[in-house]
Amino acid sequence: MNPHDFTWIFALGIVGSICDAFGIGANDVANSFASSVSSGSLTLAQACIIAVFTEFLGAFLLGSNTAETIKGGILSVDLFVPQPELLMLGMLCALVGSAAWVIFASKKGIPVSTTHSIVGAIMGVGIAAFGGGAIQWGYSGVAKIITSWFVSPVAAGIVTSIIYLPTRYIILENPNSLERGIKAIPVYFFFTSLIGAFYIIYKGAPGTEAAKMSIGVVIGISVGVACVVTAFSWVFFVKWLRRRVIGKENIRWYHLPVVHFVKYRPAPEPVVEQSTEVSSELESGGEVDGKMHTGSKNLSDEVDCEVDTDAQLNETDGASKYSPAAIAKRLKYYALRGVKKDVRNLNNKKLADVHEAARKFNDDTEYLFSFLQIITACLASFSHGSNDVANAAGPIASIYDIWKTAKVDVSGKAPVPMWILAMAGVAIDVGLLTFGYHVMRKLGNGVTYLSPSRGFSAELGTSLTVLTASKIGLPVSTTHCITGAIAAIGLCNGNVRALNWKMLGWCFLSWIITLPIAGLTAGLLFAFGSNAPNKFF
């Protein structure tokens, strides 16, 4: 082939990459925020707003300059050197196969590994092109992925338990839990900010000096950052919490930096008849009068609400149905539909026994951990955007490189232009905003009852596990880790009925079938395309 041949593959590859990134947002990003939303630390809308920025910035700023086009050395790239266009077609089929499975799984609310999905798709392409001998079946390839099905959830579960159990026995179960919690908050801020700073610095922005720092320098800077954050929390945040939670003052978040100078602000008088706005806030588990509430709508009520809304949208008659105002109203409804869902399942009758078996603690003490959980959710989202964007960006980068040079880079890596990272980052955000609620609903309180302290422990345990394992060479998956962390939280209740074992079974089954389904889809597409009749002139 010559440079710029097979432009149609390049064009379709862009579409496939966007679809795959959309699936990543709907599945991977959704399960990153599931515990924050399910515990009530964030509303679904707030989580989406935060993720829009953290995911995009992680993908755009810290997305690697080079992405592994053949993840984990699964396929021997040199087999495609005689016909570079076949690798272009293979990467296109891999993107389509991966995107199709991830989007389908997201629709069903099943958390799957998007990394394993693209790997399975590439395996299918390799088998269809050159047979099973083209695949690395040993521990350096497929066996390592299978190992991660067991290592990821177990490792994350152990780390999460180590974080949560001391919190439960030392703070939550103490008769004076609120006072103990407020005193312990700076310590939690220290370790949370230490882990976050270490990860971001150690990851390093590609091409900057941060990527060349020694481990000692990274640790030193991380400790310094953690000390500053801890000092701020000790001086300002603890005082703010005492006034807001213990004193019940009407003090707002923007008073935090000047909390020592703000005069006494009494809480507003309780209103007998709640306004529609406040009632709506309570139903969605939002914040009213400075306190988190855990109310939520029943899923059946949500369905009825959606039907009523659709009826209202269609109640316009004649030409008014197509007026600019009516069209704008309809567009707004469908644009925001994905962030107005109930994903907490607190009144779900099928999960009532699971939630009832979980131990409940003081609401005010739990509220203390909401702020920490928001930080860990942002960290998980930022790191996810910087890492997993390669699942969608890597294959299209390979297609683009071959399209420009008409050669196969045998290193298995290709430079990733910034426009590809930006494109994938935007598609990830759209996937979360429009489709992410499916996975959040199933993975959150659908597995076990989650509160802010539980959700914080699960997210911090997942981040710490992924960070540590990736640096020492253990095969882990973020999706598998957060699932294992949430399961461990359920087991920490000391009651096996506090876990939805059926949901966990479906999760594990989805991990197993991801490789063959994505691989079969991509392999069949490649076999069809590569063996199609050609028209010669």
Side-chain angles (χ1 to χ4, degrees):
M1 66 172 287
N2 297 314
H4 298 162
D5 281 350
F6 300 99
T7 303
W8 66 272
I9 295 182
F10 174 45
L12 290 178
I14 292 176
V15 177
S17 178
I18 291 173
C19 292
D20 200 35
F22 176 91
I24 292 173
N27 206 290
D28 265 7
V29 183
N31 66 53
S32 296
F33 275 92
S35 57
S36 296
V37 177
S38 299
S39 68
S41 294
L42 291 171
T43 65
L44 178 57
Q46 289 170 340
C48 289
I49 292 172
I50 291 174
V52 163
F53 292 98
T54 53
E55 286 288 331
F56 180 82
L57 292 176
F60 187 72
L61 298 179
L62 290 186
S64 182
N65 280 346
T66 60
E68 290 183 81
T69 56
I70 309 299
K71 301 287 291 183
I74 292 294
L75 180 64
S76 299
V77 188
D78 54 354
L79 296 173
F80 291 92
V81 170
Q83 289 184 282
E85 64 272 19
L86 281 183
L87 184 56
M88 290 181 67
L89 179 63
M91 291 298 101
L92 169 60
C93 295
L95 285 170
V96 174
S98 174
W101 167 241
V102 173
I103 293 176
F104 173 80
S106 300
K107 173 64 176 176
K108 298 300 181 181
I110 303 173
V112 297
S113 171
T114 57
T115 300
H116 291 180
S117 182
I118 192 65
V119 167
I122 292 174
M123 286 174 55
V125 168
I127 294 173
F130 303 105
I135 306 300
Q136 300 292 334
W137 298 101
Y139 187 75
S140 60
V142 178
K144 193 172 186 178
I145 294 175
I146 296 175
T147 302
S148 74
W149 297 343
F150 305 95
V151 173
S152 297
V154 171
I158 293 173
V159 174
T160 299
S161 300
I162 292 173
I163 296 172
Y164 176 68
L165 288 177
T167 302
R168 173 184 171 180
Y169 290 117
I170 297 175
I171 297 176
L172 297 174
E173 291 190 352
N174 189 275
N176 197 18
S177 62
L178 181 58
E179 183 63 28
R180 282 200 174 189
I182 290 179
K183 291 180 179 179
I185 280 296
V187 178
Y188 283 95
F189 266 102
F190 175 83
F191 287 106
T192 303
S193 57
L194 175 66
I195 294 171
F198 180 84
Y199 177 84
I200 294 174
I201 298 171
Y202 196 48
K203 165 73 177 178
T208 66
E209 293 299 320
K212 303 176 183 178
M213 290 181 181
S214 65
I215 185 66
V217 174
V218 173
I219 293 176
I221 296 176
S222 301
V223 171
V225 171
C227 288
V228 171
V229 172
T230 304
F232 179 85
S233 67
W234 185 270
V235 176
F236 297 99
F237 190 60
V238 169
K239 178 67 174 179
W240 185 86
L241 284 174
R242 289 188 179 278
R243 294 185 61 176
R244 179 163 178 159
V245 181
I246 297 180
K248 306 298 181 183
E249 291 187 47
N250 185 27
I251 193 166
R252 301 299 182 181
W253 63 267
Y254 47 80
H255 293 132
L256 185 58
V258 292
V259 65
H260 292 280
F261 305 99
V262 177
K263 294 182 179 180
Y264 175 73
R265 294 172 58 89
E269 294 294 330
V271 180
V272 177
E273 293 184 6
Q274 294 177 330
S275 65
T276 303
E277 179 180 357
V278 174
S279 298
S280 175
E281 195 72 31
L282 287 170
E283 288 175 344
S284 60
E287 182 178 342
V288 180
D289 297 337
K291 184 173 180 179
M292 297 299 298
H293 295 263
T294 57
S296 74
K297 296 183 291 184
N298 191 296
L299 294 182
S300 60
D301 295 337
E302 177 194 313
V303 174
D304 294 338
C305 179
E306 290 180 9
V307 173
D308 293 341
T309 305
D310 286 334
Q312 292 174 7
L313 289 173
N314 291 318
E315 277 178 358
T316 55
D317 52 2
S320 62
K321 182 178 180 179
Y322 302 100
S323 66
I327 294 175
K329 182 179 180 181
R330 186 173 293 276
L331 290 176
K332 179 181 178 181
Y333 165 71
Y334 285 112
L336 298 178
R337 187 169 179 267
V339 299
K340 292 185 175 181
K341 299 288 186 178
D342 171 47
V343 298
R344 301 191 64 199
N345 299 316
L346 292 181
N347 292 332
N348 191 320
K349 294 179 180 179
K350 293 181 179 179
L351 297 173
D353 292 339
V354 174
H355 293 174
E356 184 65 27
R359 178 79 180 274
K360 311 300 189 301
F361 302 104
N362 182 274
D363 284 344
D364 287 334
T365 307
E366 289 281 6
Y367 177 64
L368 304 179
F369 291 89
S370 298
F371 304 92
L372 289 165
Q373 191 178 12
I374 293 172
I375 295 175
T376 55
C378 291
L379 171 62
S381 177
F382 188 81
S383 61
H384 174 269
S386 65
N387 285 330
D388 284 10
V389 69
N391 294 336
I396 186 59
S398 176
I399 294 174
Y400 179 61
D401 186 60
I402 296 173
W403 179 75
K404 285 199 312 178
T405 64
K407 297 179 180 178
V408 173
D409 186 349
V410 295
S411 69
K413 295 187 177 183
V416 182
M418 297 304 290
W419 66 267
I420 290 182
L421 292 175
M423 175 187 71
V426 171
I428 287 173
D429 289 340
V430 174
L432 172 67
L433 290 170
T434 59
F435 232 54
Y437 66 91
H438 291 288
V439 172
M440 285 192 185
R441 179 179 292 165
K442 290 291 181 68
L443 190 59
N445 285 311
V447 174
T448 189
Y449 173 79
L450 289 176
S451 61
S453 64
R454 292 173 167 94
F456 158 73
S457 301
E459 289 176 358
L460 185 61
T462 296
S463 298
L464 188 57
T465 301
V466 173
L467 171 61
T468 305
S470 64
K471 296 309 175 185
I472 64 177
L474 288 178
V476 296
S477 163
T478 304
T479 301
H480 302 169
C481 284
I482 189 63
T483 304
I486 292 176
I489 288 295
L491 291 175
C492 285
N493 287 290
N495 189 340
V496 294
R497 296 194 302 110
L499 269 176
N500 184 353
W501 292 99
K502 182 179 179 180
M503 180 60 194
L504 286 176
W506 277 111
C507 288
F508 190 78
L509 177 62
S510 71
W511 302 348
I512 297 175
I513 64 177
T514 290
L515 286 178
I517 290 182
L520 183 63
T521 304
L524 290 175
L525 287 173
F526 181 82
F528 174 79
S530 60
N531 294 292
N534 294 313
K535 183 177 180 181
F536 295 97
F537 295 95

